[in-house]
Amino acid sequence: MKRSPLTSDAQEKSIVDAINTDDRISKLPNDLLAKILSRLSLKEAMRTSVINDHHGHLEKCTIIYYPYQCEDGMVEAWIRSLIHVKHIKHLTLKNFICPFRPNPTITLDLPPESFSHPCLDSLTLSRYNIETSHAFDNCWNIKKLELTGISAGVGVFNVVLVSCPSLEVLVVDINCHKGRGLLKIGNRNLKFLYLSCYNIDAIEVSSPNLDILTIGNLLCEKEKVVIASPRLQFYRNYWTTLYAHTSYSISCPDQEKKSIGHEFLMRRSRDFLSEFASMSVSVDLANTKEVEMLHEILAACPREMEELEILFKKSNSPRKVETSIARTQKQFWEETKPFSHANFSAYTVRLSNFSGSKEEFTLASRLITQGMVGKTMLIKPSSFSPSDKLEIEGAVANLNELPKGHIELDIVMV
């Protein structure tokens, strides 16, 4: 018989009754409760009855458990209580694989619309089999979804993604063990996407607002990887190479705040910016907020990178008029000295759409003199008109005269 989602007051009360025990610490502040729970085993945490009887809603919870601990339905009841009674905002569920027990992977089997609740904003699932997409029905509420170590048919994954149309952050680390085929990602609000896929035939990404795409492993033919995201326009398809790659179109329409994708990447840089990987970024150096974001990205890069591409976007504002904004930009570059003392080195650096502007020359010179370019700097001009080419060649010649952090460094215009 098909199980219906729990929505009524009577059903919510039954959830609480299913896991109700004596409550000893429910009156403590939420931050203290979270610290206490983090130090308890699953069984001990359940006995405290903190989840169901403490007053108020919960902001965040992580459940890590062994497969054998969900046999009596207790974990499922706890999940339902967190979502539909405690109105959790950020939920993480992790299957802890025990090497000493057989069949370590759990099939996540929850009722339809289990994750559909207006308060649930962020969901992370780790190390599960998923046979159906029913638990994700009508999940308009979820804005951040992380699927790590998840096994399912590609059709199930496609339905899950369609059922979550409000996604802004998506982490996909999956194994399509059934029904190989085309994985389709078309979420229009998506800002950040991480992809690592096994046993899949093809991938199609069509997300018009995507700013950040990070590729881990894609074990399919490069001709069958289609990335149709207009903001990620670079000169090379780095996702077809053997090493991990991040493409990032830096944008900051609101000067007062950074994008959700940027904040997520900075918080989780160790997870998504790996050693010996490559990166492509596009930036408007006339936009001080974008320059700050680029500085943060480079500061978060691993110590050794395979390749770095920086594509210079051109500002539509006039450059020759000495406005207050222009003076602010000049003051910013002179006082903050961005890109100084970054602790990374890329084997190859590509500067694309290079015009020889003061900001571009300053950035290039700091990369050169501080040893951030290991072997080669390739400069692709923004224009090939005779006058512009002469100016750009002069800038490249001046860059070659600078003291180099690596003596063997070559600086070439291509």
Side-chain angles (χ1 to χ4, degrees):
M1 181 179 296
K2 184 179 180 180
R3 294 175 292 179
S4 60
L6 300 175
T7 54
S8 67
D9 292 341
Q11 287 171 319
E12 290 187 352
K13 184 177 184 299
S14 71
I15 295 173
V16 174
D17 290 342
I19 56 175
N20 188 44
T21 57
D22 292 334
D23 186 5
R24 298 181 178 89
I25 58 175
S26 64
K27 295 182 180 180
L28 294 174
N30 281 351
D31 56 346
L32 183 55
L33 290 176
K35 290 182 180 180
I36 294 174
L37 283 174
S38 68
R39 297 177 180 272
L40 299 179
S41 67
L42 179 66
K43 186 176 295 185
E44 290 169 334
M46 285 182 173
R47 284 202 298 265
T48 67
S49 192
V50 172
I51 295 300
N52 57 12
D53 285 339
H54 97 283
H55 300 292
H57 296 156
L58 288 174
E59 180 80 13
K60 182 178 181 180
C61 184
T62 297
I63 304 176
I64 305 175
Y65 58 97
Y66 290 102
Y68 69 87
Q69 290 178 305
C70 63
E71 295 174 356
D72 58 359
M74 183 67 74
V75 174
E76 181 179 329
W78 198 7
I79 293 171
R80 296 199 306 269
S81 178
L82 284 168
I83 296 174
H84 296 282
V85 179
K86 290 299 155 187
H87 299 171
I88 194 79
K89 290 185 179 180
H90 309 284
L91 178 61
T92 298
L93 305 175
K94 292 185 177 182
N95 166 29
F96 188 86
I97 296 179
C98 179
F100 307 108
R101 290 178 177 268
N103 302 320
T105 304
I106 298 174
T107 295
L108 192 66
D109 184 20
L110 297 174
E113 300 189 8
S114 289
F115 299 128
S116 177
H117 192 281
C119 291
L120 184 61
D121 181 78
S122 170
L123 176 65
T124 298
L125 303 178
S126 181
R127 305 190 192 103
Y128 291 100
N129 286 326
I130 299 180
E131 299 294 336
T132 71
S133 60
H134 299 326
F136 293 87
D137 290 351
N138 298 317
C139 282
W140 291 82
N141 48 292
I142 296 179
K143 294 183 179 180
K144 181 173 76 70
L145 176 63
E146 295 189 51
L147 303 174
T148 61
I150 302 297
S151 297
V154 67
V156 173
F157 285 122
N158 286 338
V159 175
V160 168
L161 297 180
V162 170
S163 301
C164 303
S166 302
L167 287 179
E168 295 179 350
V169 172
L170 175 61
V171 175
V172 177
D173 179 6
I174 60 175
N175 181 6
C176 296
H177 67 285
K178 292 182 180 179
R180 294 174 61 123
L182 171 65
L183 177 67
K184 299 185 69 173
I185 301 174
N187 304 73
R188 298 188 62 83
N189 297 321
L190 209 57
K191 295 291 187 180
F192 177 95
L193 172 62
Y194 173 83
L195 281 177
S196 185
C197 305
Y198 301 88
N199 296 322
I200 199 164
D201 293 328
I203 299 173
E204 181 181 298
V205 178
S206 179
S207 298
N209 295 306
L210 186 64
D211 289 328
I212 306 173
L213 170 65
T214 298
I215 301 294
N217 292 292
L218 295 182
L219 299 184
C220 60
E221 298 177 11
K222 63 181 181 180
E223 294 81 7
K224 296 183 179 180
V225 178
V226 178
I227 310 294
S229 298
R231 297 186 180 185
L232 302 178
Q233 298 295 323
F234 297 98
Y235 287 99
R236 298 182 64 194
N237 294 333
Y238 288 94
W239 51 83
T240 64
T241 61
L242 297 177
Y243 40 82
H245 177 73
T246 296
S247 295
Y248 184 5
S249 175
I250 300 176
S251 62
C252 191
D254 184 351
Q255 282 282 331
E256 297 302 319
K257 64 179 182 180
K258 299 163 187 174
S259 70
I260 183 174
H262 180 84
E263 297 290 358
F264 181 75
L265 180 60
M266 291 301 96
R267 288 197 307 270
R268 301 279 299 277
S269 60
R270 291 187 177 181
D271 295 329
F272 301 115
L273 300 179
S274 58
E275 202 88 19
F276 308 112
S278 64
M279 177 182 288
S280 296
V281 294
S282 60
V283 61
D284 178 6
L285 294 183
N287 185 317
T288 57
K289 183 61 69 173
E290 290 192 19
V291 174
E292 288 178 353
M293 294 166 70
L294 176 60
H295 178 79
E296 292 177 359
I297 294 166
L298 296 182
C301 284
R303 292 183 62 89
E304 294 186 50
M305 297 178 63
E306 184 70 24
E307 191 163 326
L308 171 66
E309 176 188 11
I310 302 177
L311 187 151
F312 299 117
K313 298 185 292 184
K314 303 307 177 185
S315 174
N316 294 324
S317 60
R319 299 298 300 263
K320 295 183 180 180
V321 179
E322 185 69 12
T323 63
S324 59
I325 295 177
R327 287 192 294 272
T328 300
Q329 293 170 355
K330 181 179 179 181
Q331 184 180 19
F332 170 80
W333 280 89
E334 291 178 351
E335 294 183 0
T336 63
K337 298 190 185 324
F339 316 112
S340 298
H341 311 297
N343 192 26
F344 83 94
S345 177
Y347 186 80
T348 301
V349 171
R350 295 175 179 269
L351 301 182
S352 302
N353 207 25
F354 184 84
S355 66
S357 71
K358 182 178 180 180
E359 294 87 355
E360 293 170 6
F361 185 88
T362 301
L363 170 58
S365 64
R366 289 178 183 170
L367 293 175
I368 293 168
T369 59
Q370 296 184 34
M372 300 178 200
V373 191
K375 185 64 176 178
T376 308
M377 174 176 280
L378 302 174
I379 298 178
K380 185 177 181 63
S382 60
S383 172
F384 289 96
S385 67
S387 59
D388 292 337
K389 183 180 179 182
L390 187 62
E391 182 178 348
I392 293 171
E393 287 177 344
V396 174
N398 290 333
L399 290 174
N400 270 298
E401 295 298 322
L402 295 173
K404 298 169 182 168
H406 294 279
I407 299 176
E408 66 276 15
L409 172 63
D410 290 327
I411 304 172
V412 182
M413 190 168 73
V414 294

